[in-house]
Amino acid sequence: QLQLQESGPGLVKHSETLSLTCTVSGGSISIIHYYWGWIRQPPGKGLEWIGSIYYSGTTYYNPSLKSRVTISVDTSKNQFSLKLRSVTAADTAVYYCARHPPQLHWGQGTLVTVSS
Amino acid sequence: NFMLTQPHSVSESPGKTVTISCTGSSGSIASNFVQWYQQRPGSVPTTVIFEDNQRPSGVPDRFSGSIDSSSNSASLTISGLKTEDEADYYCQSYDSNNHVVFGGGTKLTVL
């Protein structure tokens, strides 16, 4: 049974870099056809796609975040990672990792708070 | 930019039927599959419909999905409403660049 688990600091300082890792178990990240993505949800707000990566390293980013985001994959560890630079309070959110398409298979999510 | 628009909120009584719409901004919503997620407070979203009208195992057949190309919209219909159906519902699809797109979410109140 596929499981995804986010890990990383729950508190990041203003203007610094948010770094999260998603560990995939119960299946290989190198399976063709699937993408591995990051989605976030600010408190009380809707879902926002951040970006996705294919096992080969091909990436797709939300244009509104593209200038600050890097997603990478480590197939040897069955993990993929998110880096979001120059964070502000607006980046405070629950961050989910997920597999797709077509539907998203979600991790449990992790709350990241940006402090001033 | 391809966007999906949902009503902010809907409400209906237990036992009744409710339909939540999801309208595509451009192109054809039928070009890519539409999914629907249910999210209860403090919980991870779960899939109630995938590939326009398919139900995952364990989702009751009270939940159904459809596509209307004439209005460029997708719909989630929940019949025989139960109080446990009260949640936020999100539609999701893809744009022409393989980007994931979410609707803004609809808060369903069952009263």
Side-chain angles (χ1 to χ4, degrees):
Chain A
Q1 180 180 346
L2 183 74
Q3 291 189 324
L4 294 88
Q5 181 65 58
E6 305 86 353
S7 60
L11 190 64
V12 181
K13 293 182 179 179
H14 181 271
S15 78
E16 295 193 344
T17 297
L18 179 160
S19 297
L20 295 173
T21 296
C22 182
T23 301
V24 179
S25 59
S28 172
I29 204 170
S30 300
I31 292 181
I32 62 172
H33 176 68
Y34 288 121
Y35 288 79
W36 306 89
W38 290 96
I39 297 96
R40 70 181 183 178
Q41 185 172 34
K45 296 188 178 181
L47 300 166
E48 179 180 37
W49 173 70
I50 300 169
S52 298
I53 191 165
Y54 197 56
Y55 78 94
S56 62
T58 299
T59 52
Y60 301 90
Y61 296 129
N62 185 324
S64 68
L65 296 168
K66 185 174 182 177
S67 64
R68 299 195 291 133
V69 173
T70 300
I71 296 175
S72 58
V73 64
D74 186 337
T75 55
S76 67
K77 294 182 179 179
N78 229 33
Q79 296 176 333
F80 62 105
S81 298
L82 167 70
K83 290 190 184 298
L84 179 65
R85 296 175 291 277
S86 304
V87 297
T88 69
D91 295 309
T92 293
V94 175
Y95 285 77
Y96 297 98
C97 60
R99 185 192 76 177
H100 64 93
Q103 71 267 43
L104 292 149
H105 185 109
W106 306 77
Q108 286 302 300
T110 187
L111 174 63
V112 179
T113 301
V114 177
S115 64
S116 55
Chain B
N1 281 3
F2 179 66
M3 298 194 310
L4 296 170
T5 301
Q6 300 179 234
H8 185 257
S9 63
V10 295
S11 61
E12 190 50 271
S13 302
K16 299 291 190 180
T17 297
V18 70
T19 297
I20 299 172
S21 63
C22 172
T23 302
S25 62
S26 61
S28 172
I29 199 166
S31 297
N32 290 288
F33 286 128
V34 175
Q35 284 61 238
W36 290 90
Y37 303 97
Q38 176 191 71
Q39 186 179 36
R40 296 190 175 102
S43 297
V44 180
T46 60
T47 305
V48 292
I49 294 290
F50 68 98
E51 292 182 354
D52 297 340
N53 55 20
Q54 302 299 302
R55 273 180 292 106
S57 59
V59 174
D61 59 7
R62 301 185 296 106
F63 289 80
S64 63
S66 63
I67 300 292
D68 181 353
S69 295
S70 66
S71 60
N72 207 38
S73 64
S75 294
L76 171 68
T77 298
I78 310 171
S79 60
L81 274 170
K82 300 184 177 184
T83 54
E84 67 201 46
D85 298 331
E86 189 162 289
D88 293 328
Y89 291 85
Y90 295 89
C91 60
Q92 176 263 314
S93 188
Y94 298 88
D95 69 12
S96 58
N97 296 311
N98 284 332
H99 294 176
V100 176
V101 180
F102 289 104
T106 299
K107 180 178 180 61
L108 169 62
T109 301
V110 181
L111 38 64

